[in-house]
Amino acid sequence: MEEGVVNEILQGPLRDVFDSKQLITDVSGSGNNWAVGHKIYGCQYRENIVEKLRKTAEHCDCLQCFFIIHSMGGGTGSGLGTFVLNLLEEEFPEVYRFVTSVYPSGEDDVITSPYNSVLAMKELNEHADCVLPIENESLFEIVNKIHQMINSGKLGSTVKQNSLVTSSAGSAKTLQEKPFDAMNNIVANLLLNLTSSARFEGSLNMDLNEISMNLVPFPRLHYLVSSLTPLYTLADVNVPSRRLDQMFSDAFSRDHQLIQADPKHSLYLACALLVRGNVQVSDLRRNIERLKPSLHFVSWNQEGWKTGLCSVPPVGHSHSLLALANNTCIKPTFIELKDRFMKLYKKKAHLHHYLQIDGMEQSCFSEAISSLSDLIEEYNELDATKDGPRIDPSRLKIAV
Amino acid sequence: MSIVTVQLGQCGNQTGHEVFSALCSDIRGTHGLCSKKENESYQDACKERFFCEEESGGTALKGFFPLSGSVLSGVQIWFLSMAARSGLWRYNSHSHFCQKQGSGNNWANGYSVHGPRHKEAIMNLVQKEAEKCDRLGGFFTIMSMAGGTGSGLGAFVTQCLRDAFPTSFILNHVIWPYGTGEVIVQNYNSVLTLSHLYHSSDALLVHENDVIHKICAQLMNIKQISFRDVNQVIAHQLGSVFQPTHTAGGGPGYSRNPLGDLMETLVPHPEFRVLGLRNIPQVPETSLAYSTFSWPGLIKHLRQMLIANAQMEEGIDWQVRPPQPGSSTPSTNKPLHFNTSIANLVILRGKDVHSVDLGSFQDPSLYTSWLNPQDAFNAWKTPRAFNKYEKSASLVSNSQFLLKPLDSIVGKAWNMFASKAYLHQYTKFGIQEEDFLDCFTTLEQVISSYTNL
């Protein structure tokens, strides 16, 4: 809807990549109102959207999945975005739906972001196959870290410029100009690594539908915490194999996660490692063996590792790693979201902006919050098993 | 007689490619160490088994390979061009079947969706290949059990082969995944695959990634082991079984019915179909020129590897001994860790094979009581050396080799099944909980049978 933003892209260097016939814009945004995005714009543009989707889908030999990229806190991305998610499930039920969602941080300047996010969460719970939550706070910290590395003077001059995960243009912009560009670049790299096995060859390919298959043990627990390493490459290429092992260690550290979470101290349901570059199966195995003892896996998935090897590394690196974890460390994010929602909801603050929209009722809110609470409860139940004794179920007995 | 090869999935195709490259480079090698006549006989026999001459004059593999996955064109073209570059052989350009959509590591997707959808196309291809053969000796499939295509589509295709060719031999070469995850649902996929194959295949010849990895690390001294290294070891081991040999009772020429002979010697009872493979020696190529081996030494090691269930020539437990003869109830008196066999086949290749004494393998205490040791043990030989090894000995064994790994896979799958994790991924493609239970039951039965040998 954001005509201004779309126009800016169409004037930029990538204007030829986007088919202008496939764009839908409207003059105003959704006023940070999920209901406006979902109900009003949804209804208004439904046919238009379906038609454009069908047209694009027809061009595909084999349509494997849809990527939805949006934020949760606003109105259009959140409201219309989840409307489109619903639409995709109706029109293309067999095609996987991957959603990259930017979650609002605590100091978010949109007051109604908790409402928007929780309303959107319900849709994600029910209609997405896989969600990769991202938090701006984490992206910002990563950007800062890189900035310090470059400007600290110590090792700064030896960082290879085009290897920065925050920049595609090959030069590090100063922080004051456009921090969002740098932060968005990180997400872009995430998506690149995710799809690398589908675009390049490797000795152990990992399709997108394999990610959903292996990382989603129960339908609603489809939220994956992602981390990317390395963030940059040093220009002097010494000690290659220690750097490789360091890459694996970093993927599990708090600083490299794209949301504010610490998977190492929570419970893993499943973990996927997508490696790119000159890495072989023995390096992968060695590092899994090394890191396994410090990680907690759920009792029925003690060896819950999914691995993929793609031969082509990203630009500027000799190898890279994307780790996707289905881990209970995401629970605090959801709990905080619920708390912020409840703070507003109890006072019924700003509720009238939503309820005055056709199709919105109080029940939409109560259903949404109960959906989120149920999700939190599922994670709680799993956490409860974390430190308990492990009792393996008895096997079938065969009469001899 | 000819064997039609079916390579399924990424693993099946990558491994299959190495296997046939190894066979080809062996027959064209100059290290045969035997008479020219013998060598020519060997080459002809190998070609007859697996390859056919193309109209264009090249040598093509008899067989076909369903590929799937989104890097489809890349992978497929890579194979065809790899083979063409070596100039030795290639895949028949018409004998492949590809589909863009992978199975997503989902056995149910491979078996219930892709299988039926593409059954006609696949079976037409198979029929064409089978018709090319003067005499069809059977089918050899190469697949992994951890993924979705090799395992699920593989199980489906095996069933179709059985239905369409009820009297042909079917041997499935199955790759067991690394114990610590390549795929999270690998134990489910393995349980489903093994139980289904048990009903349609004649025998399962198993390679475990963990074992081959250790061979690469400890015997071959490879520092950074890639899947290619693993597949090359597997290729060498399979080649040592499938290259032509003279069987004991056969005539002067090379054996014409390898699959039939294999089944006859190793699968006397339908309940016991899991075969393990050991091959020695295995040394880095650079050391070959400096290594010498003696037959008595090799035979002694191979026998102890059988008894102690050792996976490679290093680290064999020499303390394990077969039980003393004259025990009244053999099964309860057998010492722990002793590997009981149903049947064994030793294949010897190279210099002075005719002088080798294999009496130690005919010791009745190695075997179960219900087969005559004369029937339980067989040997195939050829003076023609294999793959640059002056002497090479392989053991194909129907024994308790795979009992522990099988038990482990079933245990882990059961553990996951009890918590109902991932089941929704299978039920949405038509594999229900009852189907899982049937499969568990089949495999627990197999485990029980092998345990009570």
Side-chain angles (χ1 to χ4, degrees), chain A residues 1 21-25 37-38 40-57 66 68 76 79-88 91-92:
Chain A
M1 299 298 108
K21 296 191 291 297
Q22 293 293 101
L23 297 173
I24 302 175
T25 55
H38 196 92
I40 296 188
Y41 281 128
C43 290
Q44 191 177 342
Y45 286 96
R46 189 201 164 94
E47 269 167 44
N48 201 345
I49 295 174
V50 174
E51 191 209 311
K52 296 217 183 326
L53 283 172
R54 288 231 162 269
K55 240 180 81 183
T56 323
F66 287 108
I68 294 183
T76 306
L80 186 55
T82 47
F83 178 81
V84 172
L85 182 62
N86 264 295
L87 207 59
L88 291 174
E91 301 285 323
F92 305 90

Side-chain angles (χ1 to χ4, degrees), chain B residues 273-310:
Chain B
R273 298 183 207 210
V274 186
L275 308 177
L277 175 53
R278 303 283 184 265
N279 169 269
I280 59 173
Q282 197 104 59
V283 294
E285 202 170 315
T286 46
S287 316
L288 260 183
Y290 309 104
S291 319
T292 45
F293 307 99
S294 71
W295 282 121
L298 287 175
I299 299 302
K300 191 164 159 210
H301 280 220
L302 201 57
R303 182 176 183 270
Q304 193 62 21
M305 280 167 74
L306 169 65
I307 294 173
N309 198 358

Side-chain angles (χ1 to χ4, degrees), chain A residues 380-400:
Chain A
N380 273 331
E381 276 169 29
L382 283 164
D383 266 336
T385 66
K386 184 171 165 228
D387 295 314
R390 174 164 164 194
I391 310 165
D392 286 339
S394 37
R395 299 260 294 267
L396 291 177
K397 298 259 184 305
I398 302 287
V400 172

